[in-house]
Amino acid sequence: MAHKNRETETLSKAVARIQAGVLAITCGLICGLGLFAMTAWLLVKGGSQVGQHLQLLGNYFIGYSVSWLGSVVGLIYGSLFGGLIGWGIGRVYNWVVTLRQGPEA
Amino acid sequence: MSNVLIAGAGPAGLTAAYELSKLGLNPTVLEADDQVGGLSRTVNYRGYRFDIGGHRFFSKVPLINQLWEEMLREDFLVRPRLSRIYYRQKYFDYPLKAANALAGLGPIEAMLIGLSYTKARMFPQADETNFEQWVVNRFGERLYEIFFKTYTEKVWGIPCNEISADWAAQRIKNLSLREAIKNALFGSGRAADGQVITTLIDQFNYPRFGPGQMWERCKDLLASRGHETVQGVKVERLRHRHGKVECMYGTSSNGETVELGADHFISTMPLRELILALDPPPPEKVLQAANYLRYRDYLTVVLMVKREEIFPDNWIYIHAPEVKMGRIQNYKNWSPVMVPDSSRTSLGLEYFLWEKDEEWEWSQDRLIKLGIEECTRIGLIEPSEVEDGTVVRMKKAYPVYDQHYTESVDIIRNYLETFANLQTVGRNGLHRYNNQDHSMLTAVYAARNIVGEKNDVWSVNTEMEYHEEVRQSSTKGDRLTPQRVAPPETAEKVIEAAFAKLDPLAMGVALGVVASLVLFWATTVLLLKGGPVVGPTLGLLDNFFLGYSVTWSGAFWGLAQAAFGGFALGFLFAWLRNWSLTAYAFLVQRSAEAKERGDLLDKV
């Protein structure tokens, strides 16, 4: 009984660590593909002023525009930027968890 | 070749001998009775066969299943199970079925049961040291009173609030969260070797001529290998010196003293008897502990009835307080060949007693008369239908788990471990309410310890199949050798990782830091680029971050606000994720435990 209670307690108290690399890839894929899809969607829809707001991202992602070439550039930028965000979240999270719980066994 | 002397030819003693013979050792078994099988023997009275209690053959330990199959082969039957509870002149399906129980108890009682169950679940008793508290916490006060109290007290002869909760915990698997989740994800109906396990609730295995057939056959197999089972010799003394037992002394049925020596000794004697038989006697403290141990005795009145079918059940639990019997076995429903004539039925009325009880001393005729009266009172038979009857008494059938037994067993165990060549196994040998399969497993472990393995026989209990099953190795030639199954670490790790909680504070900080840096970076990039109107679109964020603007001061103000907003979002996300995970795990555990408790009475 005592063993089982300890086991249940261990499981319910286990704190997750985040694999920063995995989160970076996940966020990178979401952002990269997301920006590619949004750009492509606006291009397919067409119109007189295609993606006037989205193209403001060009302020940050040099070379990006709402064009087919831009969508590929956006895919690369989005992936890098998303990856960086994911990696950052993972690292900061793990750092705080380590501060609070001690190093991972 | 080492000689091994085994006291007791019950399932544990004979299994030990059988295993030793396979290992190439020379076992000899001493048995006080004129029949082998112990509690698992089958008595033959004028062609009517009956058990000492019902013995369903079911095990999650592959090694034991293999032993059973090996001994019985085609005589190992698969039998359907039907059992009911008799209470208030009505029969209730067991395991309980809602519709049937509702019809039997009526809507008002059903409502009261529901209310009492809800109360127990919402406000459980914090102290759960005895059986009553254990059951009430899980079933509610009313269900406990109706379906558990009377029967349990009949069986054990002591109030439920004096029975240790350990007993329930050992017999009823109280699944840990981890196990429950594992079962939910990977399924629970498999033995260690992956074999699908059928539930005891629907059917069970049973030897064609009763459980005694298995042990008679085991005795014959031993004899064919040259190993003797000496019957009619009661072991009364074990002489020991310098931490080693030297010989066992017994008295044969004709009064002669028998003295046998060996290199190793295995005892299946009740722990109390074993301690009292040691010569020289153990320290006073150990003797005192042995004398604290209690055993419940058991008596069966068997009635032979001139009727082809009385009821369809294998057995009926008798909860009615107006009769003394606790259970009725219908042996022909266990195996059709348990009766010599299919137009007859034999019923086994089970009485659970203490040796000191008045009824224990009653004559056979008086007990048969009591049995007929009680069966008539509950409407099963007419007295004129009974054409014969007999009585079988079994002392020390059940080791009692009272509030003090663990302390006594620990003292005795520590003392016995000082002997280099003595092991104790089996239900009474370990004072543990094990089923037959686990008693057998303790014997297999003990036998293998003699050839150098280091198994802890005391670790075997009803829960062990989940962490210590043994299986056959296919890599070591023909001989079967045990091999511990490696814990399914991958599954454990997956579960631990999947159910580990996110730290809300850490997630809040992480999102806060990243969100604030991104906004700060986005603002400063635009400021550095400059232009007539800087960042009109990004400036729209002031709808959310009050006071934010694409300016240097706005960059810092935005950093602070994004940090706060990110923190709140991250914290909330982690908290919600943890909450839903906990809720899921809780439901899985409750559902698994409810399933385990479905056949509680079978384990009483």
Side-chain angles (χ1 to χ4, degrees), chain B residues 90-226:
Chain B
K90 290 193 176 77
Y91 290 95
F92 296 88
D93 290 339
Y94 192 80
L96 295 172
K97 293 188 179 84
N100 172 271
L102 183 67
L105 294 167
I108 294 173
E109 185 66 60
M111 191 184 72
L112 293 172
I113 286 171
L115 287 173
S116 119
Y117 176 78
T118 309
K119 183 188 160 209
R121 299 309 291 192
M122 289 179 72
F123 309 104
Q125 303 175 62
D127 184 21
E128 204 180 81
T129 52
N130 65 51
F131 181 68
E132 180 177 300
Q133 291 160 339
W134 194 94
V135 179
V136 168
N137 273 353
R138 283 154 183 82
F139 293 91
E141 183 88 31
R142 281 194 101 81
L143 267 181
Y144 159 73
E145 294 280 348
I146 295 170
F147 289 115
F148 298 102
K149 186 176 190 297
T150 321
Y151 179 71
T152 307
E153 291 184 353
K154 273 185 186 182
V155 173
W156 291 99
I158 42 179
C160 287
N161 58 16
E162 287 179 25
I163 297 174
S164 165
D166 278 5
W167 170 77
Q170 190 198 329
R171 302 285 289 184
I172 318 298
K173 231 168 8 116
N174 196 10
L175 291 177
S176 71
L177 181 59
R178 188 192 299 262
E179 279 173 330
I181 292 164
K182 200 160 71 181
N183 291 347
L185 295 177
F186 304 107
S188 61
R190 286 178 187 275
D193 59 355
Q195 181 193 351
V196 176
I197 294 164
T198 53
T199 167
L200 256 180
I201 288 172
D202 306 318
Q203 59 183 32
F204 54 86
N205 286 109
Y206 192 72
R208 186 182 302 278
F209 294 100
Q213 181 186 9
M214 165 129 15
W215 304 113
E216 291 291 342
R217 194 165 283 178
C218 185
K219 184 184 86 171
D220 295 344
L221 280 169
L222 286 169
S224 70
R225 294 174 187 182

Side-chain angles (χ1 to χ4, degrees), chain A residues 59-83:
Chain A
N59 284 314
Y60 307 104
F61 303 152
I62 296 160
Y64 172 76
S65 62
V66 183
S67 65
W68 287 111
L69 179 64
S71 69
V72 178
V73 173
L75 174 77
I76 296 164
Y77 271 122
S79 301
L80 291 174
F81 184 70

Side-chain angles (χ1 to χ4, degrees), chain A residues 1 4 7-8 10-12 14-16 18 56 58-60 81 85 88-89 92-93 96-97 100, chain B residues 169 174 176-179 463 500-503 505-507 510-511 514 521-522 525-526 529 537-538:
Chain A
M1 284 290 277
K4 290 202 159 184
E7 195 185 52
T8 300
T10 311
L11 184 58
S12 56
V15 175
I18 289 176
L56 292 173
N59 284 314
Y60 307 104
F81 184 70
I85 286 180
I89 290 174
V92 175
Y93 173 88
V96 178
V97 170
R100 279 158 56 74
Chain B
N174 196 10
S176 71
L177 181 59
R178 188 192 299 262
E179 279 173 330
E463 294 174 84
K501 291 188 170 133
L502 285 176
D503 182 339
L505 186 83
M507 186 52 83
L511 247 68
V514 171
W521 169 75
V525 164
L526 293 182
K529 282 182 81 174
T537 311
L538 192 63

Side-chain angles (χ1 to χ4, degrees), chain B residues 341-446:
Chain B
D341 176 352
S342 60
S343 69
R344 300 290 192 269
T345 298
S346 59
L347 299 180
L349 321 180
E350 302 182 332
Y351 295 88
F352 305 93
L353 300 165
W354 301 110
E355 245 186 283
K356 62 182 184 204
D357 285 341
E358 183 195 343
E359 291 87 347
W360 185 261
E361 299 297 335
W362 282 9
S363 68
Q364 174 162 305
D365 288 346
R366 192 170 174 193
L367 285 166
I368 291 171
K369 195 174 162 204
L370 171 74
I372 295 172
E373 272 172 20
E374 293 201 334
C375 278
T376 309
R377 194 177 308 161
I378 65 172
L380 282 180
I381 56 170
E382 291 297 325
S384 59
E385 290 180 296
V386 179
E387 58 181 8
D388 200 356
T390 188
V391 173
V392 175
R393 292 173 170 87
M394 178 58 81
K395 289 182 188 174
K396 297 186 179 63
Y398 305 104
V400 173
Y401 277 24
D402 55 23
Q403 302 277 23
H404 314 289
Y405 87 98
T406 43
E407 199 184 330
S408 301
V409 170
D410 284 346
I411 291 169
I412 294 168
R413 178 184 172 178
N414 288 336
Y415 175 70
L416 289 178
E417 280 173 353
T418 63
F419 288 92
N421 65 343
L422 171 67
Q423 297 183 82
T424 178
V425 297
R427 179 187 278 192
N428 280 339
L430 298 169
H431 201 84
R432 187 162 292 178
Y433 191 30
N434 280 337
N435 286 329
Q436 182 176 232
D437 59 335
H438 288 109
S439 288
M440 291 172 67
L441 195 57
T442 61
V444 171
Y445 278 178

